[in-house]
Every structure is written in structure tokens, then in C-alpha cells.
Amino acid sequence: MLLAIDCGNTNTVFAVWDGTKFLGTWRIATDWRRTADEYFVWLTSIMQLQRVEATVDEVIISSTVPRVVFNLRVLSDRYFGCRPLVVGKPECRLPRTPRVDEGTQVGPDRIVNATGAYDRHGGNLIVVDFGTATTFDVVDDDGAYVGGVIAPGVNLSLEALHMAAAALPHVDVTKPQRVIGTNTVACMQSGIFWGYVGLVRGICDRIKGERAREMCIVGTGGLAPLFGQGDVLFDRIEDDLTMHGLTVIHAYNKETA
């Protein structure tokens, strides 16, 4: 079975794929100091607790944190007896080569999102991913990643607001009942929620205008459902888009080996 690992700046997600479905998906805080042994103990313990029985013999990794990859490689070699496929490395082939400026390195997560979205929805897409950063990935008609936009993430913006203004508290990200807040927390929640609604809609409209066509907008990441409620920002919301993209890339490499 395949173990798909998506390492982001904040969290690392592990999922076991049996070829037709995910048997389980789990996340842990990203920490480059975590050893292969610690990963294995945590993963096997949580799989036992959820009664997930799987013999992992293949691993694919996408990581935006290069320092984490070494211990994930050791995990794969020591405990699963295989060499992992790492997105972004020369040995990992992609279904479509990104069409960006020469010498530009595209984040593995963005390549994986584009691949997963194209497999499910075809081309001509904007993929909006609410992670540590809020990213917009443009997928061409043939499935190639052709560029995008990077904006500060929602929680990053909240943290910056709290750090820069000592009188402002930490607040949860939620949809406020009214735009005009009548207390500090409500004002902050309104600014974050409606500010990002405006950011997503504005950037997507400009991308469509620049490409002179209508495009399907796919939302993903933990906060996508929140920002999709009560406001038509997305045509589709996918909670497992990155993990699905990893399975597609893995299958492509097996087919073309």
C-alpha cells in the first residue's frame, strides 16, 4: 500500500492509500527535528487506535520544508523498506511540466494541487489553497501549472495583527453575523473573514480577466469550507485535493517506469 505524506509549513499530513480509497488520514505538527523513529511510533500507534491494518510498501512525499525530507526518507527506508518518491526531485516525473519562467522552482504542494485538481475537474482551473499562505494556482487546459498568486495565510494575518497591536487579542476565524462589529473581537473577525472573501473574489476575477475566459474555482485547505459558506466563492471544495494529487503522481510514475 501507498503512504502519501504532505509536509507543509504548519502541519504534516499522512494518508494510507489502498489503490481505490484512503484508509485513514492523520496530521501532526511539522517539526524538522522529529526523527524517523518518532514518526513511526506515532503513525503506527494512531493506526492501531483506529484499527487501520495496512502494510506500507511504497511512499510518496511532497514537502515545502526541505529539512524535514531527510528523516522522512529514513522513515521510508528503515521501516517500510522502500525508496520514497519525492515531488520536485528529478526522479519524480510529472504528468505535465509546469510552464513558468526558466529557472523558477515551483512549490511541490502547488504542483500536487494542480495535478489533483486536473484529474478530478479537467483543465482551466483556479485552485485556492488555504494553508500557512493562501495560494492561487492556475491550471491550463492541458493540466499544466502556469503560475499563480501567493498571499499571506489567514492565521498568519491574525498572528501578525496580534503581534503588531498589543491591545488586540487572539481570535478564532469564524463567519461573523454582521459586517459591522460592535466589539473588538467581532471587528477583527469581520475584517479577517470579509477581507479574505474580498481577496479571493478579487484575485480570481483578475485571473479570469487576464486569461479572458471563465474558469472553475476549486477551494481546498482547512478553511475552505468556512469561506465557502453563504458566499459563492468556489465551484468545488475538495478536502483531500493534495493527497489525491500525490496518488495521481505516484500512479503516473509507476505507469511510465
Side-chain angles (χ1 to χ4, degrees):
M1 292 187 187
L2 173 67
L3 176 64
I5 305 174
D6 172 39
C7 177
N9 291 295
T10 303
N11 293 312
T12 299
V13 181
F14 292 72
V16 174
W17 175 255
D18 70 355
T20 59
K21 64 182 182 300
F22 288 110
L23 301 182
T25 301
W26 311 277
R27 65 182 60 231
I28 192 171
T30 298
D31 185 350
W32 65 268
R33 295 167 297 184
R34 187 171 285 114
T35 66
D37 302 327
E38 289 175 308
Y39 279 122
F40 183 72
V41 169
W42 167 79
L43 183 61
T44 53
S45 296
I46 201 167
M47 288 174 66
Q48 288 173 359
L49 283 171
Q50 296 188 5
R51 294 184 173 85
V52 175
E53 297 182 5
T55 301
V56 172
D57 54 9
E58 296 176 295
V59 178
I60 184 169
I61 301 168
S62 168
S63 178
T64 58
V65 185
R67 297 178 76 179
V68 172
V69 175
F70 173 78
N71 281 322
L72 292 176
R73 284 185 180 274
V74 174
L75 168 72
S76 179
D77 178 66
R78 180 180 298 168
Y79 291 106
F80 303 126
C82 65
R83 179 182 176 86
L85 194 62
V86 181
V87 179
K89 298 300 182 182
E91 65 270 17
C92 180
R93 293 177 293 276
L94 301 174
R96 299 289 186 278
T97 302
R99 291 195 287 271
V100 293
D101 293 344
E102 187 175 351
T104 299
Q105 281 194 325
V106 181
D109 55 330
R110 308 185 77 179
I111 294 172
V112 172
N113 280 348
T115 302
Y118 178 72
D119 183 70
R120 284 182 169 170
H121 305 292
N124 200 29
L125 308 172
I126 303 171
V127 181
V128 184
D129 187 356
F130 291 90
T132 304
T134 301
T135 58
F136 299 74
D137 301 321
V138 180
V139 184
D140 212 344
D141 294 328
D142 64 350
Y145 171 88
V146 293
V149 177
I150 301 175
V154 177
N155 288 310
L156 193 62
S157 294
L158 274 172
E159 184 66 23
L161 193 60
H162 171 72
M163 294 294 292
L168 297 181
H170 284 288
V171 299
D172 294 329
V173 183
T174 186
K175 181 183 178 181
Q177 294 183 346
R178 301 175 60 193
V179 175
I180 301 173
T182 54
N183 57 68
T184 301
V185 170
C187 289
M188 293 175 67
Q189 289 175 333
S190 183
I192 288 294
F193 183 84
W194 294 114
Y196 271 85
V197 167
L199 180 143
V200 171
R201 180 179 290 115
I203 289 179
C204 288
D205 285 347
R206 288 183 176 274
I207 290 173
K208 291 178 183 178
E210 193 167 289
R211 290 179 63 80
R213 67 185 75 175
E214 279 300 314
M215 304 178 71
C216 177
I217 303 174
V218 181
T220 191
L223 292 175
L226 171 66
F227 284 93
Q229 66 174 339
D231 207 279
V232 187
L233 284 180
F234 311 116
D235 299 300
R236 302 282 190 277
I237 294 179
E238 301 278 2
D239 60 356
D240 64 344
L241 186 64
T242 305
M243 307 313 288
H244 176 67
L246 283 172
T247 67
V248 174
I249 291 174
H250 180 265
Y252 178 76
N253 277 264
K254 290 191 71 173
E255 291 169 2
T256 57

